[in-house]
Amino acid sequence: KIKFPTDDVINAVLSFKNDSVSVYDFASLIKTGISDAERIIDKHYYENNPFPELLRYPTSTSAELEVELRGGTYRVFLERGGITIQGRMRIRYELDRLVRVKLNLYRYRATKKFPKPYHEYDGFIKCNDGIIVGIFEERDKALSPDFFHFTLNAPNDIATINIPWFGHYLSSTKGDNRQSVSGRMCIYRTRDNEQTDDDLIAFMHNPDENVEREFSEFLEENGIGKV
């Protein structure tokens, strides 16, 4: 069972601006693992910023079962015109009957305004009759924050590694003249959650660069499957 620090300790860490203290620094400060630190921060944040009830499971047990079945790290592929955007996703844990997920997507265009080459999203998923629904909010809210939604067809063999899930996403472009953008999407699980902190950090924070290849062609060429 996680021992939650006092609000004073959490607020002291979260009060730092401009991401001067990362979740990894927080974990080191309170002498716990990355996953436990993430849970503590999430619990504090979402208790003060409630998420839509539609994504909650009936019970904590049913949400925990979802994590047991589908939890782990995933590679992500998005269709964007003639480019295939790549990313990484992790289905983390149950949080107040929600299934917590982290998503990192390689930036569509590189810019000097952002030091990281990828966007970071925090969100949740829920499985409804074989359809996985995901709703995410961009972590960096300093400049035109983005939202990212998807629906995917969950495979029957949900516990198997490397089985692709196909569907569609909805998001928006960056810049002054923002527009909605959507397209096809594919993910597949690479490993379950039984990984070291170093393994999780290395996987999530090193998404592959985007590829100037049409979505279907790229997936077939890399043996991921046909859309």
Side-chain angles (χ1 to χ4, degrees):
K1 186 175 181 179
I2 300 170
K3 182 179 180 180
F4 287 87
T6 65
D7 284 345
D8 288 342
V9 174
I10 296 175
N11 288 331
V13 175
L14 298 185
S15 64
F16 287 92
K17 296 181 180 180
N18 301 320
D19 293 327
S20 59
V21 175
S22 71
V23 65
Y24 313 116
D25 296 327
F26 181 65
S28 177
L29 180 67
I30 64 174
K31 296 179 173 58
T32 188
I34 297 298
S35 291
D36 286 351
E38 291 168 342
R39 287 174 184 256
I40 291 167
I41 292 174
D42 282 346
K43 183 174 178 61
H44 176 81
Y45 179 82
Y46 290 109
E47 280 180 349
N48 295 283
N49 299 273
F51 217 75
E53 290 295 316
L54 63 91
L55 289 182
R56 291 191 191 276
Y57 282 78
T59 64
S60 294
T61 300
S62 59
E64 290 170 354
L65 177 60
E66 196 69 49
V67 174
E68 183 179 340
L69 292 173
R70 307 181 198 274
T73 50
Y74 291 74
R75 291 193 66 189
V76 179
F77 309 94
L78 308 179
E79 175 185 42
R80 181 77 182 273
I83 293 176
T84 298
I85 294 177
Q86 301 196 75
R88 304 291 171 91
M89 187 177 83
R90 179 181 166 216
I91 297 178
R92 288 177 168 177
Y93 40 72
E94 179 270 339
L95 179 73
D96 295 332
R97 295 188 289 118
L98 294 162
V99 175
R100 179 72 168 84
V101 183
K102 175 71 186 303
L103 173 67
N104 293 342
L105 295 175
Y106 205 87
R107 293 189 183 279
Y108 179 60
R109 289 189 177 90
T111 173
K112 294 180 180 179
K113 293 181 180 179
F114 303 98
K116 294 180 180 178
Y118 53 87
H119 299 281
E120 294 186 87
Y121 296 87
D122 296 300
F124 302 90
I125 64 165
K126 187 176 183 182
C127 182
N128 289 300
D129 297 325
I131 298 295
I132 298 289
V133 177
I135 298 180
F136 296 82
E137 179 182 21
E138 189 168 10
R139 178 171 292 184
D140 185 356
K141 301 176 179 61
L143 293 173
S144 60
D146 188 19
F147 295 90
F148 187 91
H149 300 176
F150 66 68
T151 58
L152 301 169
N153 295 305
N156 293 327
D157 193 0
I158 56 179
T160 303
I161 304 297
N162 294 336
I163 299 296
W165 310 5
F166 296 104
H168 293 80
Y169 74 92
L170 174 65
S171 188
S172 61
T173 60
K174 293 289 185 180
D176 297 330
N177 185 24
R178 302 186 68 178
Q179 298 178 348
S180 63
V181 60
S182 62
R184 292 175 292 177
M185 177 175 177
C186 171
I187 70 172
Y188 70 81
R189 188 165 69 157
T190 60
R191 291 181 64 182
D192 60 23
N193 271 323
E194 296 300 318
Q195 303 182 45
T196 66
D197 288 347
D198 288 342
D199 286 341
L200 292 172
I201 293 170
F203 180 84
M204 289 299 298
H205 295 281
N206 291 283
D208 298 309
E209 295 184 9
N210 301 330
V211 181
E212 293 189 9
R213 294 290 292 167
E214 195 275 331
F215 183 72
S216 297
E217 293 178 357
F218 175 81
L219 295 187
E220 290 187 36
E221 289 171 359
N222 287 273
I224 299 169
K226 295 184 178 181
V227 182

